[in-house]
Amino acid sequence: MTPGGLFGVGAAIAILTLTGLFLGLLRDGFNRAEDQAQATTLRAAQTVSAEVARLTQAADGVLADLANPLDGARLPDTSALRARLRDLPQIRDLLVLDRRFDVVRASDPALLGASVHDQPWLTRLVDAAREAVPAPLVAGAPLPLPLPG
């Protein structure tokens, strides 16, 4: 074989070796980036979950009082609901609905007697409640006021 032919074979082997090394490093970098993205996403999800749990735990007492009034006590009126929610800034308004999804108690008097049966968030909540107990948290846009009665 001629010296030029040996050089060509050597150059081809060097190029293939460098290409293989480059592809291996590229794959390793991609795998590390993917692992880091997965870990970051998991940490973000855990943080959001912890914050939602913290925000909703404070409301549990208010909701438990509404669901199970002690000693046959009446359901709280609008002013009592508003007073209970004063220390819970994560809850703008609290609604108590009847079976037809009409508002029978509310922290905002403008909502009393309104019907929320056609609100998209309520439809999602009812559908979700059929699938899981307890129903998952469903967030939606604020209710436009005044609501049609």
Side-chain angles (χ1 to χ4, degrees):
M1 191 172 238
T2 65
L6 286 177
F7 178 76
V9 170
I13 290 173
I15 290 172
L16 288 174
T17 302
L18 289 174
T19 301
L21 180 63
F22 174 74
L23 291 176
L25 289 174
L26 186 64
R27 186 188 66 217
D28 184 52
F30 176 78
N31 288 340
R32 280 187 293 171
E34 190 176 33
D35 291 344
Q36 186 176 9
Q38 186 176 14
T40 301
T41 303
L42 179 62
R43 283 193 304 274
Q46 289 170 335
T47 301
V48 168
S49 175
E51 285 301 308
V52 168
R54 184 182 67 79
L55 291 173
T56 56
Q57 275 182 341
D60 284 349
V62 174
L63 298 176
D65 288 349
L66 286 173
N68 304 308
L70 297 176
D71 301 324
R74 294 179 335 120
L75 285 174
D77 63 7
T78 299
S79 59
L81 282 176
R82 187 167 294 285
R84 290 289 306 269
L85 296 180
R86 190 175 308 127
D87 296 329
L88 301 173
Q90 66 272 26
I91 299 177
R92 184 190 307 126
D93 287 308
L94 183 65
L95 309 175
V96 178
L97 308 175
D98 63 12
R99 291 178 188 224
R100 295 180 315 236
F101 302 115
D102 294 332
V103 179
V104 293
R105 297 278 189 273
S107 58
D108 184 345
L111 297 171
L112 287 173
S115 178
V116 295
H117 76 277
D118 59 348
Q119 295 294 320
W121 59 266
L122 184 64
T123 304
R124 289 194 310 270
L125 183 61
V126 170
D127 291 344
R130 288 187 183 119
E131 300 293 324
V133 175
L137 178 67
V138 176
L143 295 176
L145 292 177
L147 288 174

